[in-house]
Amino acid sequence: FLGVILTGTALLMLPAASVENKVTPFIDALFTSTSATCVTGLIVVDTAKYFTIFGQVVILLLIQIGGLGIMTISTAFALIMGQRLTLKLENVMHSMMGEAQSFDIFALLRNIVLVTLIIESIGALVLYFSFVQVTEPLRAFYFAIFHSVSAFCNAGFSLYSQGLVPFIDNVNINLGITALIILGGIGFAVIIDLYHYFTAREKGKRLTLHTKMVLVTTAALLIGGMIAYFISEYNYSMRGFGVSRRLLASWFQSVTTRTAGFNTIDVSLLGSGSVLVSLILMFIGASPGSTGGGIKTTTFAVLILSVTSMLRGRKDLTLMNRKISLSNAREATSLVTLALSIVLLIVFMLMMTQHFSFEKIAFEAVSAFGTVGLSMGITADLDAIGKLLITLLMYIGRIGPLTLIYALSISKRQGNVELAEEKIAIG
């Protein structure tokens, strides 16, 4: 990831990348490259007005590479070059994808690329019919491709300075973009599992527990978020909206806040209740093996199951007549603790160096960690230290959860000595 980010930084610094034909400052280029590669969407310069077609194409390629995942692409190249995959690398892929214990790694990679191209192509076609109504065909085609890739990769980069605010009443844009975001956020393994489930000829084909957990948790978060925004924004950013516009805007905001970063309303006008809802949704993020960030839906689901099982006095974690390993609960707890610690540390450092309110800084930090890209309008006004801290948080947010899950899933060599057990008071 670091290699791709630095390459993108060098390309974006070229005079050919800026409309004014000047060298882009290193920190701004680094921030933009990191935001694109980590599919975040936070920007310090206006993508539509600052960058040329060359600069925008560089950003688009960085988004695609980041969305597919450097690990996926590097593994694909290793296969193409005839290199043998090590068991360790297959374990990394397994941890990332949430697949079954045995699978064909080459078929998995092929399916990932194929699924990505098919979904992005269909998405571009759907968006084209709306964009062509407001601009010339060739430009509409380019805009359709850019926004389709950006949406499926949950990047949130837009070629419109106001984001998608001009299309707040466009049902085609709203539903098309949200469909791409959801498909990109549930994970490749879930998409492929759903495809096999609906196309399998044999009887008794079942969805995996991973797929069921992702679908149920995602649906609950999306519906819950939509209801929360519908209620909390009644007198704020959605004041004066009709019922249909409010429903559409609430749905879009609930979907995009998960990890995408697009917006059809002015985020800086959000009420305090909506800010809290946004922080929760951004921190949870998308699902394992997806193009999104955050602690992941399965991590959140396991934590909820852990709490409910304790309240019911049950020893095991169970879901849909299946037992979930207690090690998963330990991994989930460790991941959330580490993620929260990192975010709080960066928030503290930002508060020591920036002059913005706690609400705006916390929103910016969680948005960066969750690779969301939504901002309350302070990104471009951050000083050099602030930009570097947010850049670091975007980088950690993109690679941190996967790296941690992989590290915790590896069996460590344990000693033969077992220490005496002693209980302590909790709560």
Side-chain angles (χ1 to χ4, degrees):
F1 264 87
L2 186 59
V4 173
I5 289 171
L6 293 177
T7 301
T9 301
L11 292 174
L12 291 176
M13 288 180 67
L14 295 174
S18 70
V19 173
E20 298 181 3
N21 197 34
K22 65 178 184 180
V23 176
T24 301
F26 172 76
I27 292 180
D28 289 348
L30 176 65
F31 189 101
T32 304
S33 180
T34 304
S35 182
T37 306
C38 297
V39 290
T40 305
L42 290 173
I43 56 174
V44 289
V45 293
D46 192 330
T47 307
K49 296 179 179 179
Y50 185 88
F51 292 107
T52 60
I53 296 296
F54 170 76
Q56 292 171 4
V57 170
V58 170
I59 291 174
L60 184 63
L61 291 175
L62 292 175
I63 291 173
Q64 188 70 88
I65 292 172
L68 284 173
I70 301 301
M71 189 184 304
T72 305
I73 291 179
S74 61
T75 304
F77 273 109
L79 289 170
I80 293 171
M81 298 301 292
Q83 297 181 25
R84 181 180 178 274
L85 287 176
T86 62
L87 181 60
K88 182 177 181 180
L89 184 54
E90 288 201 13
N91 285 333
V92 175
M93 294 296 293
H94 170 261
S95 298
M96 183 181 78
M97 298 306 302
E99 274 279 298
Q101 289 297 326
S102 60
F103 61 94
D104 186 341
I105 189 75
F106 186 80
L108 175 63
L109 292 172
R110 181 191 62 211
N111 290 337
I112 288 174
V113 175
L114 188 61
V115 165
T116 299
L117 293 177
I118 291 175
I119 293 177
E120 289 177 350
S121 298
I122 295 175
L125 181 63
V126 171
L127 297 178
Y128 173 79
F129 291 111
S130 291
F131 289 138
V132 77
Q133 297 177 7
V134 295
T135 187
E136 59 270 17
L138 186 60
R139 184 178 176 85
F141 179 71
Y142 170 61
F143 273 45
I145 293 176
F146 189 98
H147 286 85
S148 179
V149 173
S150 183
F152 181 71
C153 292
N154 282 214
F157 276 87
S158 176
L159 296 180
Y160 290 97
S161 299
Q162 294 180 277
L164 298 178
V165 173
F167 300 96
I168 187 171
D169 293 315
N170 190 309
V171 177
N172 187 54
I173 292 288
N174 276 262
L175 298 185
I177 292 290
T178 52
L180 287 167
I181 293 171
I182 293 172
L183 288 173
I186 61 176
F188 295 110
V190 174
I191 295 174
I192 294 172
D193 191 31
L194 286 171
Y195 172 77
H196 290 161
Y197 176 77
F198 287 110
T199 60
R201 295 182 179 179
E202 66 270 17
K203 296 181 179 180
K205 175 68 177 177
R206 295 182 178 179
L207 294 173
T208 64
L209 181 61
H210 170 80
T211 296
K212 294 177 181 178
M213 179 181 286
V214 166
L215 293 178
V216 171
T217 307
T218 299
L221 291 172
L222 292 179
I223 295 173
M226 179 181 176
I227 295 173
Y229 283 120
F230 186 89
I231 296 173
S232 62
E233 285 305 294
Y234 194 86
N235 292 317
Y236 292 95
S237 63
M238 299 182 194
R239 177 182 295 177
F241 283 17
V243 176
S244 59
R245 173 183 278 195
R246 189 183 300 276
L247 285 171
L248 205 57
S250 298
W251 165 252
F252 191 93
Q253 193 64 26
S254 178
V255 174
T256 193
T257 306
R258 295 280 310 291
T259 61
F262 287 106
N263 65 294
T264 55
I265 58 175
D266 190 345
V267 180
S268 64
L269 299 178
L270 290 179
S272 298
S274 296
V275 171
L276 177 60
V277 173
S278 298
L279 290 175
I280 295 172
L281 293 177
M282 291 190 297
F283 189 71
I284 295 173
S287 302
S290 71
T291 57
I295 62 171
K296 303 296 186 291
T297 54
T298 50
T299 303
F300 175 70
V302 169
L303 287 179
I304 296 298
L305 288 174
S306 180
V307 173
T308 54
S309 66
M310 184 181 70
L311 293 176
R312 293 177 179 178
R314 295 180 178 178
K315 180 180 178 181
D316 298 325
L317 304 184
T318 57
L319 178 66
M320 300 177 184
N321 297 320
R322 291 290 186 273
K323 178 182 176 181
I324 299 175
S325 172
L326 290 177
S327 64
N328 284 141
R330 187 167 61 249
E331 291 170 4
T333 305
S334 301
L335 175 56
V336 172
T337 303
L338 180 59
L340 191 58
S341 299
I342 293 172
V343 171
L344 291 177
L345 176 62
I346 298 296
V347 167
F348 175 77
M349 296 173 70
L350 286 170
M351 292 184 67
M352 294 295 100
T353 57
Q354 311 302 308
H355 61 277
F356 305 106
S357 66
F358 170 75
E359 186 177 81
K360 292 183 178 181
I361 288 178
F363 193 96
E364 192 84 7
V366 176
S367 178
F369 175 79
T371 69
V372 179
L374 290 175
S375 173
M376 297 189 75
I378 70 171
T379 312
D381 296 325
L382 295 170
D383 60 20
I385 295 177
K387 291 177 182 177
L388 289 175
L389 287 173
I390 293 297
T391 299
L392 177 63
L393 200 51
M394 288 189 291
Y395 181 75
I396 294 174
R398 180 58 176 141
I399 68 169
L402 295 180
T403 304
L404 183 61
I405 290 173
Y406 166 58
L408 294 176
S409 65
I410 297 298
S411 297
K412 307 295 184 184
R413 179 172 294 179
Q414 302 290 336
N416 293 325
V417 178
E418 186 172 336
L419 301 177
E421 181 179 297
E422 184 173 349
K423 291 189 176 183
I424 60 174
I426 298 295

